[in-house]
Amino acid sequence: MRWGSIRRDDGRRSAALLVGDKVVTMWDVNEKFHRKYPLRLEDIICDGIAGTIDADIRALGGIQTLGVPANAVEILAPMSSPERIAGIGLNYRAHAQDLSETVPEEPATFLKPTSSIIGPGEIIEIPQVSERTTAEAELALVFGRTCKNVPEHAWRDVVFGIVPVLDMTTEDILRKNSRFLTRSKGYDTFFSYGPWIATLDEFPELETITVETVINGEVRAQNRVSGMVYDLANLVQF
């Protein structure tokens, strides 16, 4: 399954399901089939009902009757208010070497505020205090439930899916002091992600995924998930 959010004609958000090249919104499903599904994707994920909704829409023929081409709707960031956005720095060994940085003995963590969220294609604003701001494509995990003390072998049980991210950093500010990590990554518009969250069943072998940073058609950086210093299971446990 692939889930996201779109802007309706009246300006409001609605969670949406992508099937092939067709988008079905929860607003239309509720109106057409008299359902009461949440309109916020956060609620659908946390309630654990994404699979139920998908099966219901297919059984009702909603894809054929309600689906519209994906290029005909305004696609937003999948979620506007996740509980938290946690990042891991220097987790690709090759990237750390490029920056002449030492790989940390434990995952180097930082947080991004929800005010940094924008959707794919929205404008990124470079802050006036920075003369060198960089972009990095990343793979993000979307947690599907509240959890704690998760063992490595059970990491997939708590993750809903994956989503591509463009992570921005004011590199010149970060180089002033390594403690400025959250500050350098927390400016408005510095977390562009989407368009769709793909559930884990689509990617049984996540380690084979290649993450590319592409600027104006030019590949500036490329890493494989298998090249992570701390793999996904370890990060979820950590």
Side-chain angles (χ1 to χ4, degrees):
M1 295 180 290
R2 300 203 173 196
W3 286 88
S5 294
I6 61 96
R7 193 187 309 279
R8 294 164 34 198
D9 292 340
D10 62 5
R12 289 185 286 182
R13 294 174 64 96
S14 174
L17 179 66
L18 177 70
V19 182
D21 63 347
K22 295 294 182 67
V23 173
V24 180
T25 73
M26 293 308 99
W27 173 264
D28 289 332
V29 171
N30 290 344
E31 286 287 296
K32 176 72 174 181
F33 300 118
H34 308 291
R35 299 298 197 258
K36 295 183 179 180
Y37 292 130
L39 297 183
R40 290 194 340 140
L41 183 55
E42 292 93 321
D43 296 330
I44 290 173
I45 292 174
C46 291
D47 291 347
I49 58 175
T52 299
I53 295 174
D54 178 43
D56 191 25
I57 291 174
R58 293 175 187 273
L60 294 168
I63 299 168
Q64 291 74 26
T65 59
L66 301 177
V68 298
N71 59 10
V73 297
E74 182 183 355
I75 300 173
L76 306 174
M79 296 180 289
S80 61
S81 55
E83 181 178 310
R84 74 190 70 175
I85 303 170
I88 307 295
L90 297 176
N91 197 38
Y92 287 106
R93 193 175 301 277
H95 181 52
Q97 292 171 348
D98 288 342
L99 297 176
S100 299
E101 296 281 356
T102 302
V103 175
E105 294 182 1
E106 290 186 344
T109 59
F110 61 90
L111 297 175
K112 280 186 177 263
T114 55
S115 58
S116 67
I117 292 175
I118 58 173
E122 291 190 60
I123 294 175
I124 297 168
E125 301 175 8
I126 307 302
Q128 295 179 1
V129 294
S130 175
E131 295 182 357
R132 178 170 173 76
T133 293
T134 58
E136 294 176 86
E138 303 285 1
L139 173 76
L141 300 180
V142 179
F143 282 73
R145 52 185 285 199
T146 301
C147 57
K148 193 174 185 179
N149 299 326
V150 179
E152 286 193 25
H153 68 81
W155 76 273
R156 282 178 171 265
D157 296 342
V158 299
V159 173
F160 175 77
I162 62 173
V163 65
V165 166
L166 191 61
D167 176 35
M168 307 299 295
T169 308
T170 52
E171 194 171 296
D172 46 357
I173 289 176
L174 178 58
R175 288 189 179 278
K176 290 180 181 179
N177 191 321
S178 60
R179 294 186 180 185
F180 294 167
L181 184 58
T182 289
R183 172 187 167 194
S184 67
K185 289 176 172 288
Y187 289 96
D188 292 349
T189 73
F190 266 32
F191 187 78
S192 172
Y193 82 117
W196 305 102
I197 299 172
T199 50
L200 285 184
D201 56 285
E202 290 200 28
F203 299 94
E205 296 182 2
L206 288 169
E207 295 76 13
T208 63
I209 291 178
T210 298
V211 181
E212 291 183 337
T213 305
V214 182
I215 301 177
N216 296 329
E218 178 187 349
V219 177
R220 299 288 183 89
Q222 185 181 80
N223 288 289
R224 273 202 157 195
V225 174
S226 59
M228 288 183 173
V229 177
Y230 301 100
D231 64 22
L232 299 177
N234 181 268
L235 291 176
V236 171
Q237 184 273 335
F238 178 79

